[in-house]
Amino acid sequence: MAEKRLVGKSIPRVDAPEKIRGFAKYIDDYPLQDGLYGAIVRSPVAHGIFKGYALDENWEWAGYTIVSADDITGENAMTSVVSDHPFLAVTGGVINYIGEACLLIAHHSKDMLREGLRRIKLDIEELKPLPDIETQVETDESQRPKPFDTFNIDKGDPKNIFNSNDPGITIVEGIYTTGHQEQMYLEVQGMESWWEGDKVCVAGSLQCPYYVHGALRSLFGLPADKVRVIQTDTGGAFGGKEEFPSLLAGHVALLSKKSGKRVRIIFDREEDLLYTTKRHPTVSKIRTAVRNDGEIIAVETETFMDTGAYITLSPVVLARCVLHMTAPYEIPHSKIIGHLCKTNTPPNGAYRGFGAPQAFFAMEMHMEDIAKRLKIDPVKLRSINHHRKGSLTMTSQNMGDDVWCAEVLEKAVDLSEYYKKKSEIEAFNKLNSRKKRGIGLSLVYHGAAFTGGGENKMGSVVRLEFDDNGVAHIRASNMDMGQGSKTVLRQIGADTLGVDIDMVRYDNPDTDVVPDSGPTVASRTTMIVGGMIKKACEVALKDSDNKGKVYEVGYEQPPGLKWDEDKFKGDAYPGFSYMASVVELEVDLTTLLPKFLSITAIVEAGQVINPELARGQIAGGIAQSIGWALMENPVYKENLMRNPSLSKLLIPSIEDIPELKIEFLNVSESVKDYAPKGIGELPMNSPSCASAIALSNALDIDIKKIPITASAIYKAISEKG
Amino acid sequence: MGEENHAKIMFNLNGKDVSVDTNPIRRLLDVLREDFKLMGTKEGCGEGECGACTVLMNGRAVLSCLITVGSVEGKTIETIESFSQDESPYQEIITSYEKEGACQCGFCIPGFVVSTADYIRNNTKARYTEGHEPFSENSIKRALSGNLCRCTGYENILKAVTQLSNYTITEGGGND
């Protein structure tokens, strides 16, 4: 059996052949049989009272289906953390963002649909919108709109340290701001619905079949077996198809119910960019008390996170943000505050990293500020403060033995030739007046899987069904959005059963067939769902003959984990993955465009199931991370994105990506049993910081805000004089 | 809506002569997907920025979201579906992408594969031109810079194309 081991091998991606040949079927690739195309009639105002609507009297409306909130029989609210987001605006109700759905319309002809959309007039009484997040932060606390929620995490007595007036302690302060980011999955949002009698069915591009299932149950007041959700091949998601598809599913299902026909809505890119969820903007104030040798002994942070018009999953995003706020640094005294602030912009939501990248940008830039102030080498500053075995986090979680800061840091310095490059760059910059180079290093970690008790509450289940030929079918609600779970989960199953990978199958989830094994989020699929599949296989191995048998296992929390949700105390995550990255770049002072020269990434993620696919996650994450920091700039003015096109909101192209040096720390000898840790989100956390640091070093400017645009660079250079 | 302008447009599609009676200003992308059910050609942005809708016209890469079906009259169009046909001169491209695992969500990849065919055909023609460096990293990157991918970081796509450096395409390519 030893030679049959599949775990640790780069099994080729099982879905690659059909995707590369163009045969994979995304939702818009299925023929729409005798169906209608749907659209959303959206509010043109950011804040107002919905008074009603009027149809153009000079237009023939036969053949159109029009749905308003009056057609909703169940609960007119998206089920998420709170139920505040209506599927459709109610007459007399408040509208909270430009683009909020007021009515739905469908027609069998796309041209007629467009024409109909143009001929509906909404009557909305405008109200004054809330100030944007940066304005709210600048406003005196007494005048500021009350945050929706505030989290506090306290450890030790930071106040005492800050007030000590100890001459051996330096106090460093800074404010760090991050902007929106669009997931920019290449396949836009799309969904189709049909009814089979009193059963609602939807199929589409989505990450979480059971989130959509729950949303439809409450929208129509239906029992579980009267709702069916099918995931079709999904062209990227990155969090963007976590909660948003529930809203779209509700819309197509309402249109389908009223028309009695299949209804499909596929956004165009502009609609997708304007109205779907984005990464939450944040403003973080940080102050630290640092001993003159570089040891950080106290920290106070206050983060303001822009949830947009509705709450969506934002409290969970904010929790992850504040829980990562001190980065992988052990600071004995800390006070960490996070506020969730509403604005009248389209709701923000899940995006790879889920609040953590914002926290790392703030803390890693602050580390650079400390290093400059105390004239300490920034690598050394990180070495002095990073977690070690047995370190205690801000929630007093004991990090135990599974800590790899020193190792990833050291290897990143070696592999990137950080110090050699640094002196070469110094010489280069002295000789060149037009081009300047810089290098930056960043150390991060990422809490894998759900925060705190989330996994326990979810109560996930996976099933293993053996058919009469002895082929094992994995039944789980997790999906492959490109990250490779179709390959990796089969690999884990086949490895455990000691069979060929073809003897284990795994299809796109259909809620009529699969149990709820939780959403495909939080870097949890390989770690948590993979672990459950392994367990189900181990149970199956106890039987001599599996043919026709079904094995079901539920999630069991690893022993010893304790989490106090109210006090934010204890084990915030079941494991942490680690990464250090080094970015080297060059800026042409005549164009102010940064060009990446090399990127090094060292990753520790426990046991690596499929090295090639894991590397692909890191490479792709690096591109999104540097894009967020230095390239992509969604411009929000008057409560809406004003550059909603791929040609104006540039994402990295192949020409922007330099040589990538990616290595995984080989910890296999210390891994006794199945122990992968999440890697999907980890690479989003670090290269953004390293890029900003490299740019700041190249031009000798302060960078407190990303995305950094050419005009921001110009301003910083001018101010420097 | 006014009167619809209709015309019969004839062209060669994936090796077969076809004709379509339609409004000639429809996007080639829509005609390929809606009338010919060739779903491998994708719409990513609809403004010629992402390259997911790339097809070959007389052997050269074009963005099917930016050209009208009327403009392909008498021309040869090849879509990703033709690449895996038995007699296709492009099969090695598919094989190389597969071997390098140059694919994650897969939505953009058909466009990359089609652009790669254009690049290789171009290199085959220019192979003996002085100063031309076929399959240098920079030349590959330049050729594929019109295709966007959000998943892969492009690493394996670059490898897949680099692996094709001994491969030539001499057939087809039209007269331009």
Side-chain angles (χ1 to χ4, degrees):
Chain A
M1 197 161 132
E3 64 276 11
K4 278 216 160 189
R5 285 317 293 252
L6 295 173
V7 159
K9 294 222 165 70
S10 290
I11 306 282
R13 182 183 292 275
V14 296
D15 50 346
E18 60 174 12
K19 284 177 169 173
I20 293 168
R21 288 170 174 76
F23 297 133
K25 282 177 116 177
Y26 306 84
I27 183 61
D28 203 27
D29 299 337
Y30 289 86
L32 177 62
Q33 273 147 3
D34 186 31
L36 311 180
Y37 294 98
I40 296 154
V41 186
R42 299 179 179 279
S43 164
V45 307
H47 194 201
I49 312 272
F50 183 42
K51 299 287 211 184
Y53 66 98
L55 302 181
D56 185 344
E57 287 171 13
N58 300 315
W59 187 247
E60 176 54 59
W61 289 97
Y64 286 93
T65 301
I66 293 172
V67 168
S68 74
D70 295 340
D71 293 302
I72 294 174
T73 48
E75 197 189 348
N76 182 13
M78 282 250 286
T79 17
S80 195
V81 175
V82 290
S83 300
D84 63 339
H85 191 182
F87 280 96
L88 287 173
V90 180
T91 310
V94 180
I95 279 166
N96 285 300
Y97 66 95
I98 298 173
E100 186 160 349
C102 296
L103 299 169
L104 304 168
I105 176 171
H107 195 280
H108 70 80
S109 148
K110 283 182 186 174
D111 289 336
M112 294 291 278
L113 180 64
R114 264 191 294 273
E115 197 58 27
L117 259 178
R118 223 168 52 80
R119 290 169 187 269
I120 297 178
K121 229 181 137 146
L122 299 176
D123 180 9
I124 300 169
E125 182 191 323
E126 276 197 68
L127 300 171
K128 193 173 175 242
L130 289 163
D132 66 35
I133 186 75
E134 288 179 58
T135 309
Q136 289 189 28
V137 174
E138 285 159 14
T139 308
D140 185 72
E141 203 182 325
S142 60
Q143 305 292 313
R144 197 186 290 152
K146 192 179 175 298
F148 173 79
D149 208 346
T150 292
F151 297 151
N152 269 291
I153 310 175
D154 295 310
K155 184 174 91 166
D157 188 0
K159 202 170 163 191
N160 186 36
I161 309 278
F162 283 109
N163 292 340
S164 67
N165 291 322
D166 182 338
I169 290 174
T170 303
I171 293 175
V172 182
E173 292 180 85
I175 301 176
Y176 311 89
T177 303
T178 66
H180 288 93
Q181 188 185 17
E182 161 60 30
Q183 295 88 357
M184 205 67 93
Y185 31 72
L186 260 285
E187 181 211 18
V188 288
Q189 304 270 357
M191 198 79 72
E192 180 175 322
S193 173
W194 66 99
W195 286 71
E196 293 168 1
D198 58 354
K199 180 171 182 168
V200 60
C201 307
V202 300
S205 190
L206 52 93
Q207 284 175 250
C208 313
Y210 275 96
Y211 281 5
V212 177
H213 192 267
L216 293 176
R217 275 185 71 181
S218 81
L219 173 62
F220 294 104
L222 290 170
D225 63 342
K226 295 293 182 193
V227 178
R228 180 181 186 189
V229 180
I230 300 164
Q231 181 246 338
T232 48
D233 286 341
T234 296
F238 317 112
K241 294 168 185 171
E242 176 168 349
E243 74 276 47
F244 189 85
S246 298
L247 186 65
L248 188 55
H251 290 157
V252 283
L254 284 165
L255 280 167
S256 176
K257 189 180 184 196
K258 187 150 184 187
S259 64
K261 297 205 173 217
R262 282 181 175 259
V263 176
R264 181 182 292 180
I265 296 181
I266 310 285
F267 285 176
D268 65 18
R269 179 61 66 182
E270 182 179 302
E271 188 173 22
D272 196 294
L273 289 173
L274 286 173
Y275 307 122
T276 67
T277 50
K278 307 279 174 283
R279 181 183 304 290
H280 296 74
T282 58
V283 180
S284 296
K285 299 175 178 177
I286 301 182
R287 81 170 173 153
T288 47
V290 192
R291 286 197 204 284
N292 292 340
D293 62 2
E295 188 192 353
I296 306 168
I297 53 171
V299 60
E300 286 178 352
T301 72
E302 186 175 25
T303 297
F304 299 83
M305 177 175 274
D306 177 0
T307 176
Y310 292 106
I311 298 306
T312 67
L313 295 160
S314 301
V316 195
V317 179
L318 179 64
R320 187 174 280 274
C321 178
V322 292
L323 285 165
H324 286 78
M325 203 66 212
T326 52
Y329 305 116
E330 185 173 19
I331 305 173
H333 303 277
S334 57
K335 179 164 194 66
I336 309 297
I337 302 171
H339 306 290
L340 201 55
C341 305
K342 276 195 182 183
T343 58
N344 288 109
T345 55
N348 297 310
Y351 185 172
R352 193 178 202 169
F354 210 70
Q358 292 95 314
F360 285 110
F361 173 74
M363 193 62 197
E364 283 291 81
M365 296 318 281
H366 187 75
M367 292 297 278
E368 295 296 304
D369 288 347
I370 296 173
K372 276 181 209 158
R373 181 79 175 275
L374 296 182
K375 298 190 170 61
I376 295 180
D377 176 277
V379 178
K380 193 180 163 207
L381 179 69
R382 286 173 172 84
S383 297
I384 292 167
N385 291 286
H386 67 60
H387 284 162
R388 292 171 164 73
K389 294 188 193 316
S391 280
L392 293 180
T393 67
M394 66 171 83
T395 65
S396 299
Q397 173 166 6
N398 188 319
M399 297 301 284
D401 289 340
D402 193 14
V403 179
W404 304 94
C405 292
E407 290 83 354
V408 294
L409 188 61
E410 190 189 310
K411 200 154 184 191
V413 168
D414 286 352
L415 192 65
S416 66
E417 300 181 280
Y418 177 84
Y419 287 107
K420 182 168 162 251
K421 287 274 171 67
K422 206 165 182 172
S423 55
E424 283 172 8
I425 285 170
E426 232 165 80
F428 178 93
N429 287 350
K430 270 189 194 134
L431 286 173
N432 287 276
S433 54
R434 182 173 155 175
K435 289 183 175 176
K436 298 289 178 191
R437 291 184 177 174
I439 190 164
L441 171 145
S442 150
L443 174 67
V444 303
Y445 64 176
H446 196 84
F450 283 136
T451 299
E455 205 61 65
N456 239 4
K457 271 191 233 164
M458 182 63 61
S460 300
V461 169
V462 301
R463 244 188 346 252
L464 197 61
E465 289 177 17
F466 287 84
D467 63 23
D468 293 341
N469 299 317
V471 175
H473 298 263
I474 295 169
R475 307 296 188 203
S477 59
N478 299 90
M479 48 70 75
D480 196 323
M481 57 188 124
Q483 86 282 39
S485 51
K486 267 189 183 168
T487 309
V488 168
L489 296 181
R490 282 174 62 183
Q491 218 172 323
I492 291 165
D495 180 86
T496 315
L497 292 170
V499 297
D500 196 80
I501 192 156
D502 290 335
M503 293 298 286
V504 180
R505 314 297 299 186
Y506 181 36
D507 299 322
N508 288 346
D510 169 348
T511 57
D512 267 9
V513 178
V514 303
D516 187 356
S517 57
T520 310
V521 303
S523 310
R524 68 185 281 279
T525 304
T526 303
M527 177 179 174
I528 304 292
V529 182
M532 288 160 66
I533 290 167
K534 183 173 167 64
K535 211 180 277 177
C537 292
E538 284 164 354
V539 176
L541 279 176
K542 290 178 187 155
D543 283 349
S544 55
D545 184 8
N546 301 123
K547 281 178 188 161
K549 288 189 178 151
V550 177
Y551 302 88
E552 192 170 281
V553 302
Y555 174 76
E556 279 173 39
Q557 186 167 283
L561 285 184
K562 276 194 188 125
W563 175 245
D564 182 334
E565 195 169 82
D566 298 326
K567 297 201 179 85
F568 274 84
K569 280 273 170 266
D571 301 315
Y573 296 97
F576 292 83
S577 315
Y578 294 83
M579 176 171 178
S581 68
V582 177
V583 169
E584 188 193 358
L585 53 72
E586 181 179 287
V587 191
D588 183 325
L589 290 177
T590 61
T591 62
L592 299 184
L593 293 177
K595 178 181 161 54
F596 293 93
L597 299 176
S598 76
I599 299 178
T600 303
I602 307 299
V603 174
E604 191 285 321
Q607 189 183 23
V608 176
I609 306 296
N610 185 318
E612 190 57 43
L613 296 195
R615 187 184 169 99
Q617 283 302 291
I618 303 302
I622 288 171
Q624 289 186 10
S625 187
I626 63 174
W628 180 44
L630 301 197
M631 296 182 65
E632 301 162 29
N633 185 29
V635 178
Y636 278 71
K637 272 187 198 141
E638 290 168 9
N639 303 301
L640 195 66
M641 192 201 287
R642 300 296 168 178
N643 54 346
S645 95
L646 203 48
S647 56
K648 296 195 184 97
L649 211 162
L650 301 171
I651 64 168
S653 84
I654 193 167
E655 286 191 292
D656 296 310
I657 306 298
E659 182 197 0
L660 302 178
K661 296 178 191 164
I662 299 170
E663 279 191 21
F664 284 81
L665 222 56
N666 185 5
V667 296
S668 57
E669 284 183 15
S670 64
V671 176
K672 290 189 187 67
D673 200 3
Y674 177 84
K677 294 185 285 190
I679 55 162
E681 294 168 286
L682 176 72
M684 194 71 223
N685 293 345
S686 178
S688 46
C689 308
S691 307
I693 294 165
L695 185 63
S696 150
N697 291 339
L699 301 176
D700 190 25
I701 55 172
D702 272 345
I703 292 174
K704 305 282 190 202
K705 182 175 179 177
I706 54 170
I708 310 157
T709 58
S711 62
I713 297 173
Y714 175 75
K715 195 163 164 251
I717 293 175
S718 311
E719 279 167 7
K720 202 179 64 162
Chain B
M1 303 298 293
E3 282 170 44
E4 275 222 343
N5 181 11
H6 263 258
K8 190 173 184 183
I9 297 144
M10 295 173 33
F11 58 104
N12 187 283
L13 177 59
N14 294 340
K16 282 183 195 141
D17 289 329
V18 296
S19 78
V20 58
D21 191 14
T22 189
N23 184 342
I25 64 163
R26 285 174 68 207
R27 303 185 303 174
L28 176 61
L29 170 66
D30 296 328
V31 174
L32 291 173
R33 290 180 56 87
E34 291 166 12
D35 300 30
F36 292 98
K37 310 292 175 210
L38 293 168
M39 298 302 192
T41 306
K42 309 293 185 193
E43 174 164 357
C45 68
E47 56 168 345
E49 188 65 27
C50 76
C53 67
T54 309
V55 298
L56 296 176
M57 181 162 82
N58 288 357
R60 298 308 310 270
V62 293
L63 298 166
S64 65
C65 77
L66 291 187
I67 60 175
T68 63
V69 65
S71 65
V72 309
E73 169 74 38
K75 302 224 161 92
T76 298
I77 298 292
E78 292 165 282
T79 70
I80 186 68
E81 284 84 357
S82 76
F83 280 50
S84 48
Q85 286 169 5
D86 286 345
E87 66 280 16
S88 169
Y90 309 125
Q91 282 185 25
E92 264 186 66
I93 303 174
I94 300 260
T95 311
S96 188
Y97 271 72
E98 256 181 50
K99 204 174 122 231
E100 295 302 328
C103 165
Q104 284 190 27
C105 87
F107 198 80
C108 69
I109 296 298
F112 272 96
V113 171
V114 174
S115 292
T116 304
D118 174 274
Y119 173 68
I120 291 171
R121 171 172 281 124
N122 208 21
N123 267 333
T124 308
K125 282 186 184 170
R127 187 160 289 254
Y128 304 107
T129 315
E130 210 176 327
H132 182 76
E133 290 179 53
F135 294 96
S136 69
E137 188 178 318
N138 281 341
S139 94
I140 295 174
K141 285 184 167 179
R142 213 173 307 124
L144 297 181
S145 63
N147 290 79
L148 294 175
C149 168
R150 191 56 155 172
C151 296
T152 63
Y154 305 100
E155 197 177 36
N156 292 358
I157 294 171
L158 181 63
K159 274 191 217 158
V161 182
T162 308
Q163 294 300 319
L164 290 163
S165 62
N166 291 322
Y167 176 47
T168 55
I169 300 174
T170 49
E171 305 142 66
N175 311 316
D176 56 346

